Every structure is written in structure tokens, then in C-alpha cells.
Amino acid sequence: MTRVVVLSDLHLSPTHGFFWPNWLLARDAASRLDAACTIVNGDLCIDGPDSDAEMDFAARALATLPGTVLPLPGNHDIGDEPPGQDPNQLVDEARLARWDKAIGPDRWRFRFDGWTLLGVNAQLFGSGLARETEQNDWLDAMLADAKGDRVGLVMHKPLFVESPDEALPSPASLCPAPRGELVQRFCRADIRLVISGHLHKYRDRPIDGLRHLWVPSTAFAGERGLEGDARCGFAVLDFDGDHVGVEIIRPEGLISHNLAAIKQDGRYRFLREMPACPPELAA
Ligand SMILES: [Fe+2]
Ligand SMILES: [Fe+2]
């Protein structure tokens, strides 16, 4: 059996410390699990697309995790692919370069016991950037090389929210055209599992023979109106042949913050616009 920890949506910042205590609780609990690797599935930051300091802060936080740490970028780290939630924060070369410099690669492979996990940069799909083509070529090579292995795909955004047929572009998931291309790619391999974050909900659902696992946030609760468990936490995956056991860990003291309340019920549109409230870093 191989154990993998998946943390997601930390939303850390040196100027806005709402979620720092939750991070410390999650990090300490995750560190005790002796996992083969710890995946950090995007949204490390609040304002990573526009702040060197924020990305460096997240990098220092990740450096306190033990063992093999496998980060992936989210929209709060490098910006969204178009159309995105905020037209001022779309993914571009400069934002990718900031991630590269502070964090490192934005895609990776992790192999163990008949499994290949492939972590990809979700925000590249539909971005039109040169790195989107590079990533697709890399993915083709990795999928070809994974022949005989069960494959798990890890990325910040889910492929879709409710149905693979969703036709409208949405910042909640991959957009329809790049989603279709990605599905064509990975259908050539023995794909078993897609792991995503971004929606701040836990959900574990087989759809058309593929298991879609949504990992909760360590920072704040997901919105109502979408099925799934909105409470904060992180996931522990135990891979044993064809079986993948999933447990959601919610360390004592972890607060499932209400984002709307933090943003003072509409007074602030984005957390980054709020008055500074730095985290207490003594711990
Ligand atoms: Fe998030
Ligand atoms: Fe996100």
C-alpha cells in the first residue's frame, strides 16, 4: 500500500492571514502521516498572480512539509485561463515565470506500485500559451510511458462540475474545448482517477467509469448550491492495487471559514483588496 496526502487551496498570504492557523493545523497533521508524497493541489496563494512576496511566502510555507512535496498551480497562483473569474488576472508568461522561480515545475510524474500519477497545470488548458503545447506533448509522452500502469490525473480544476457534456465555459472547471481534447488524450491510457481542488468541496464520484475526487480546501468552505461536503480538511489516499481508499482528515481546531463573511458580505470583491491583516508567524 502507498499513502499519498493531498492538500489543496491553502490561500496563504503574508499580508492576509485569515487561513494561516488552518494551514499550521493541516500541515502538522499531514506531516505525521508518513506519506510517500504530499501533493499541494493549487491555490497556494491569495494574490499569487500579482505578487512576488506572496509566491515566496507560499514557497517558504511548503518548505516546512516533510518528504516529497509535489505542488501544482491554481488560478490564485498564476491566474485563470480565459475567460476566467477576473479578466485582470489571466495566466501569462510573466505569471508562469513567477511560479517557476519561487516554486519550481508546474507539472510532474510520481510512480509507485503499478500507478502513475501525473500532475498538470490546469490553467494552461485553453490558455493558448506556448507552454500549453509543451504540456500536451509531455502528457502524451507520459501517458505512452505509463502503459501497464493505472493512471491518476491531478490538477487544480475539475474537468467539469456535474457532467462531461457541460457546454458553457465556466471558471469553475476546465472549458469545454480543452476538456474534450484532454479526455481524448488520457483515454488512450488506463485512466482511473482525476483528483482536483478549486471548488473547496469534498466529493468522490464515478462518472462514465472514471472516478472524480474533489479534495477540500484547508482555508475556507465551498459555496452552497453545489453538491458535496463544503467543510475544510485534506485527503489521505491509500493506493492498494485497484483499490484507492480515501479519508478526509479534519484536524481539531480547523475552521471552515465562511468566505462571504470574511469579505464582509459584499463589501470587498476580492480578499486581496481587504485591509492588511498579516498572519501571526511565531508558530
Ligand atoms: Fe481556492
Ligand atoms: Fe482555484
Side-chain angles (χ1 to χ4, degrees):
M1 189 196 77
T2 300
R3 174 163 283 187
V4 170
V5 164
V6 189
L7 300 163
S8 194
D9 295 84
L10 322 176
H11 292 285
L12 304 180
S13 161
T15 53
H16 294 84
F18 318 105
F19 315 120
W20 181 254
N22 271 8
W23 155 251
L24 295 180
L25 290 168
R27 179 200 66 185
D28 292 349
S31 299
R32 288 192 289 270
L33 292 171
D34 197 26
C37 70
T38 301
I39 294 168
V40 186
N41 199 11
D43 283 0
L44 284 48
C45 302
I46 287 174
D47 191 25
D50 285 314
S51 168
D52 290 334
E54 197 143 315
M55 194 69 80
D56 290 341
F57 183 79
R60 287 198 297 281
L62 259 53
T64 64
L65 284 165
T68 301
V69 179
L70 300 171
L72 291 170
N75 49 305
H76 280 269
D77 305 314
I78 58 166
D80 261 313
E81 74 282 21
Q85 319 185 6
D86 177 359
N88 296 315
Q89 287 201 334
L90 296 180
V91 61
D92 61 21
E93 302 285 355
R95 287 169 170 149
L96 288 170
R98 179 182 289 114
W99 170 274
D100 297 346
K101 183 163 174 274
I103 310 286
D106 63 347
R107 56 178 183 255
W108 43 256
R109 171 170 71 169
F110 189 72
R111 288 185 105 162
F112 54 90
D113 296 343
W115 277 87
T116 293
L117 294 184
L118 297 173
V120 295
N121 180 344
Q123 286 70 227
L124 289 176
F125 295 112
S127 69
L129 296 170
R131 197 179 293 193
E132 181 183 5
T133 309
E134 285 169 32
Q135 177 166 267
N136 283 336
D137 292 346
W138 175 87
L139 200 48
D140 286 339
M142 292 297 116
L143 290 167
D145 200 42
K147 281 281 180 303
D149 272 7
R150 306 165 188 90
V151 174
L153 188 71
V154 190
M155 57 184 175
H156 179 62
K157 291 187 177 184
L159 276 174
F160 50 82
V161 178
E162 302 294 346
S163 153
D165 303 326
E166 283 161 5
L168 291 177
S170 162
S173 70
L174 258 56
C175 289
R179 174 201 305 145
E181 287 172 27
L182 179 57
V183 169
Q184 288 300 317
R185 288 206 138 72
F186 67 54
C187 278
R188 289 179 235 138
D190 185 9
I191 179 96
R192 302 287 182 98
L193 180 64
V194 178
I195 301 170
S196 58
H198 184 55
L199 296 175
H200 293 223
K201 291 228 163 162
Y202 164 53
R203 192 197 267 187
D204 189 355
R205 219 178 247 187
I207 300 173
D208 295 344
L210 180 58
R211 186 175 179 183
H212 297 263
L213 174 65
W214 294 2
V215 171
S217 165
T218 65
F220 59 88
E223 286 175 34
R224 293 190 202 107
L226 201 59
E227 262 184 68
D229 190 333
R231 290 175 296 166
C232 287
F234 66 88
V236 181
L237 279 57
D238 287 326
F239 291 83
D240 190 1
D242 288 328
H243 182 260
V244 184
V246 176
E247 185 183 2
I248 302 300
I249 307 282
R250 298 188 175 90
E252 196 180 339
L254 198 77
I255 298 171
S256 296
H257 289 284
N258 176 338
L259 184 64
I262 288 182
K263 292 196 288 190
Q264 300 178 24
D265 294 308
R267 181 164 177 200
Y268 298 96
R269 181 162 177 224
F270 298 112
L271 288 170
R272 64 176 189 264
E273 295 168 345
M274 294 188 64
C277 50
E280 286 180 31
L281 297 176

